[in-house]
Amino acid sequence: MPEGDTVLQTAKRLHSALAGQVLTRSDLRVPRFATADLTGRTVVDVSSRGKHLLTRIEGGLTLHSHLRMDGAWRVYAPAERWRGGPSHQIRAILANTTHTAVGYRLPVLELLRTRDEDQAVGHLGPDLLGPDWDAATALRNLLADPGRSLGEALLDQRNLAGIGNIYKCELCFLARATPWLPVGGLPEPTAVLLVSTAKQLLEANRDRPVRITTGAHPRAGAAPAPRSRRPSEKLWVYGRTHRPCLRCGTPIRAAEQDARPTYWCPHCQTGPTP
């Protein structure tokens, strides 16, 4: 699942391609909205809220989408060949005279009134990359259930919005705690630093060029200089199973947490493990 910085980049690409332009084609290929026609309306803006995408359209409408694991938005020039997947995987097409945005495999796609956006994103905690960011609120949310595992608490978008599985693993490493440590077991200074570090990591990566698909791999900016050109060398632990820890040399371990692959260093990180 893409992290908040990748979703923000996707929003920026869509905004650049669509905002201020009149739609010349609109095709929503989900049963509930298959008859909706947005042709002739102007796209006002495209923004992200955590991992959610909000395309606001003239007339007080918002197209809400979420990429989850496999979804992708791609933008094409008028004569460019579409390469995001077979046509039966297309869920949305928004086009103007200069660009066509195509949404592939979107598990969430709904058209709602802009005034009702809270129905889609109102449950989210403070957005690490948004104007509503509030570190104190995010910290309170994170620590509200002391017995919950740190990894699960970081991924819960109701606590703070934007962290995905990659940053979860990296943040736990930087906090020197395993993802299975009860969040209440974190010393208070570490918990405070963890929240500020999460924001720093996403901010460090939000302006780096990424593809508009979910294939773009976020990089944790706090990692040391890579020892090779392999993508996993840009991260402390994520995707580095059995490879030496970049800090101590101990082989990195992996296991599932809430059905997601989770990585940690058994020497650098303390706390429960599977």
Side-chain angles (χ1 to χ4, degrees), residues 21 29 38 40-41 44-45 47 64-65 79 87 93 103 106 117-118 143 148 161 165 181 205 217-218 221 264:
Q21 302 292 319
R29 300 182 181 180
L38 303 174
R41 296 176 186 255
V44 178
D45 69 80
S47 63
H64 166 233
S65 60
S87 60
I93 302 172
L106 300 175
E117 283 181 1
D118 271 0
L143 300 177
R148 193 176 192 187
N165 200 43
L181 178 75
N205 288 285
H217 210 63
W264 78 99

Side-chain angles (χ1 to χ4, degrees), residues 240-245 248-253 264-267:
R240 293 180 47 82
T241 315
H242 304 312
R243 299 178 67 187
C245 172
C248 73
T250 303
I252 298 299
R253 295 187 61 187
W264 78 99
C265 172
H267 180 267

Side-chain angles (χ1 to χ4, degrees), residues 24-36:
T24 57
R25 182 179 180 184
S26 160
D27 188 358
L28 305 182
R29 300 182 181 180
V30 293
R32 184 179 175 188
F33 303 105
T35 60

Side-chain angles (χ1 to χ4, degrees), residues 7-82:
V7 176
L8 177 62
Q9 281 288 345
T10 299
K12 287 182 177 180
R13 297 289 178 84
L14 290 172
H15 182 88
S16 178
L18 300 175
Q21 302 292 319
V22 176
L23 292 173
T24 57
R25 182 179 180 184
S26 160
D27 188 358
L28 305 182
R29 300 182 181 180
V30 293
R32 184 179 175 188
F33 303 105
T35 60
D37 186 6
L38 303 174
T39 303
R41 296 176 186 255
T42 299
V43 174
V44 178
D45 69 80
V46 184
S47 63
S48 64
R49 177 77 170 82
K51 300 182 185 182
H52 298 252
L53 287 163
L54 301 169
T55 302
R56 299 185 180 96
I57 301 165
E58 180 186 16
L61 297 175
T62 294
L63 186 65
H64 166 233
S65 60
H66 196 296
L67 307 179
R68 289 191 181 165
M69 292 298 295
D70 300 317
W73 277 99
R74 295 201 180 203
V75 174
Y76 301 104
E80 189 176 357
R81 179 173 173 267
W82 298 1

Side-chain angles (χ1 to χ4, degrees), residues 158-236:
R158 296 170 297 181
N159 292 335
L160 62 173
I163 294 175
N165 200 43
I166 295 174
Y167 283 127
K168 176 198 82 172
C169 297
E170 297 294 289
L171 286 165
C172 288
F173 177 84
L174 293 171
R176 294 181 176 267
T178 68
W180 294 271
L181 178 75
V183 70
L186 283 176
E188 183 177 352
T190 301
V192 172
L193 184 59
L194 184 68
V195 170
S196 63
T197 301
K199 184 170 177 60
Q200 290 170 10
L201 290 185
L202 267 72
E203 285 183 336
N205 288 285
R206 67 180 173 186
D207 296 325
R208 298 185 182 187
V210 295
R211 297 194 303 274
I212 203 162
T213 67
T214 58
H217 210 63
R219 295 174 292 180
R227 298 179 183 177
S228 75
R229 294 184 179 272
R230 297 177 183 176
S232 62
E233 290 285 14
K234 302 179 186 300
L235 300 166
W236 285 104

